[in-house]
Amino acid sequence: MKPLFTTSFAALAIALSVNSASARDWLERVEILNDGIDTKAISVRAKSNGYTATTHPRHLFKLTIHAKTKSGKRIAGMKIGTDIATSVHESDHNSLQWTYQLPHRDIGSGTKRTVTRHEKHTIRLNKLIWVAGNPVDRCNALLQKKMQQGMSKSAALSKIWTTTARAQFVLYAIATGRKAAEAGNFWASGPLKIKWDDARDATTYTVRVRCLAAPTHQNQVQNQNQGEQSSQGDKPAKPFKVLNGALNATGFGLGIASGFKGQRPARRPGTFKARPLSAQ
């Protein structure tokens, strides 16, 4: 059977070892996992002095949660959160971190011993707990590493880098007797009115982070690259083509091209190609 927690940091082990009804041990298994691979990156803006903020304040997280009780018991409540120290019945409004209590109907209205769900939640990044730094911190740590390796700050900020960040998630599961579970919502009835047992599992959710180039440095690099390309064999436009282009951009040029009839000449078949859409 899988342990009730998947991360190895000491604080989590201590928090998960405290069970409000450990003598009962009504929960057979509690598990939270990443639901697939998160391919979308969190982008971080940069200025001349370093990385400052993410381009979007929220990110979509996909999680799989699972809980199973022992015979004769039922799942009475499930809650996803970020803070391992939060009590299972603590009000969401009193916490600075993100939490989500699953509605009673979503866990079978107290009739199921086993509940498995695939959850998708768009969460504000400042409501999460990050292990080893949030996305902005991770980009600035990468910048310091590049500078320690001998790269200047301006050179490092002129490029796009990729790193990762890890957000912490915890699943709280509640088990009660069948009648108590079916009678109503655990969160509404309160833990003091019924006998119950809880267990937790935690995981870290890895997201890709794109450390964007600072605009000023990026422009300098682009201008430099354009100059290098011109010096490496780019041919200047022919005088005739320059004159023709200028004439076509004016009414006078259009008049010449159409025999002074004031109409634009018809485009030759097959000379126009649609520009492909840029990749999102």
Side-chain angles (χ1 to χ4, degrees):
M1 185 178 77
K2 179 185 176 296
L4 288 185
F5 54 91
T6 56
T7 49
S8 58
F9 32 97
L12 178 59
I14 294 172
L16 297 187
S17 66
V18 179
N19 191 320
S20 62
S22 57
R24 298 190 181 103
D25 196 19
W26 289 346
L27 282 150
E28 187 174 300
R29 187 173 184 180
V30 175
E31 187 174 44
I32 182 170
L33 300 168
N34 294 18
D35 194 357
I37 299 174
D38 191 344
T39 58
K40 186 174 182 180
I42 295 174
S43 295
V44 179
R45 293 191 183 97
K47 292 185 178 180
S48 59
N49 60 339
Y51 299 96
T52 57
T54 58
T55 58
H56 294 90
R58 296 174 174 84
H59 187 76
L60 176 64
F61 293 88
K62 302 176 183 179
L63 299 162
T64 297
I65 58 174
H66 174 81
K68 182 180 180 180
T69 70
K70 292 187 176 180
S71 179
K73 307 304 177 185
R74 298 292 184 269
I75 299 295
M78 295 178 76
K79 173 177 168 181
I80 311 169
T82 60
D83 190 354
I84 58 178
T86 302
S87 170
V88 294
H89 53 82
E90 182 175 340
S91 171
D92 293 344
H93 301 291
N94 295 333
S95 176
L96 296 177
Q97 281 76 42
W98 175 84
T99 58
Y100 175 75
Q101 296 174 1
L102 276 76
H104 198 226
R105 62 179 181 276
D106 286 356
I107 58 173
S109 300
T111 64
K112 295 184 177 182
R113 284 186 57 204
T114 301
V115 175
T116 300
R117 289 186 58 84
H118 301 278
E119 294 288 320
K120 295 181 181 180
H121 297 279
T122 301
I123 306 171
R124 292 190 63 88
L125 300 177
N126 61 0
K127 290 286 187 179
L128 296 169
I129 292 178
W130 298 90
V131 179
N134 61 40
V136 176
D137 294 335
R138 296 291 292 167
C139 285
N140 281 313
L142 182 59
L143 173 62
Q144 292 301 316
K145 181 179 180 180
K146 295 299 179 183
M147 293 171 61
Q148 291 172 2
Q149 293 174 347
M151 185 176 289
S152 68
K153 177 180 285 189
S154 61
L157 290 172
S158 70
K159 301 180 183 295
I160 296 176
W161 304 99
T162 301
T163 184
T164 59
R166 292 183 296 151
Q168 175 179 285
F169 286 96
V170 183
L171 169 65
Y172 309 84
I174 307 298
T176 66
R178 180 179 59 81
K179 291 183 178 180
E182 293 178 1
N185 191 340
F186 169 82
W187 312 109
S189 61
L192 299 180
K193 297 182 180 180
I194 59 174
K195 293 181 179 179
W196 57 282
D197 185 20
D198 77 309
R200 312 178 189 186
D201 184 39
T203 190
T204 54
Y205 190 112
T206 301
V207 293
R208 292 192 309 114
V209 178
R210 294 178 73 246
C211 309
L212 302 177
T216 54
H217 297 306
Q218 189 177 27
N219 293 338
Q220 292 173 0
V221 172
Q222 287 177 348
N223 293 335
Q224 181 180 359
N225 290 341
Q226 289 174 359
E228 291 176 353
Q229 290 173 0
S230 298
S231 64
Q232 293 174 358
D234 284 354
K235 296 181 180 180
K238 293 182 179 180
F240 175 77
K241 289 186 176 181
V242 173
L243 176 59
N244 189 40
L247 291 175
N248 285 336
T250 65
F252 178 71
L254 294 176
I256 295 175
S258 59
F260 294 97
K261 293 181 180 180
Q263 298 179 356
R264 185 184 297 273
R267 187 185 300 274
R268 292 182 179 179
T271 60
F272 175 79
K273 292 184 179 180
R275 179 180 296 177
L277 294 175
S278 300
Q280 296 299 318

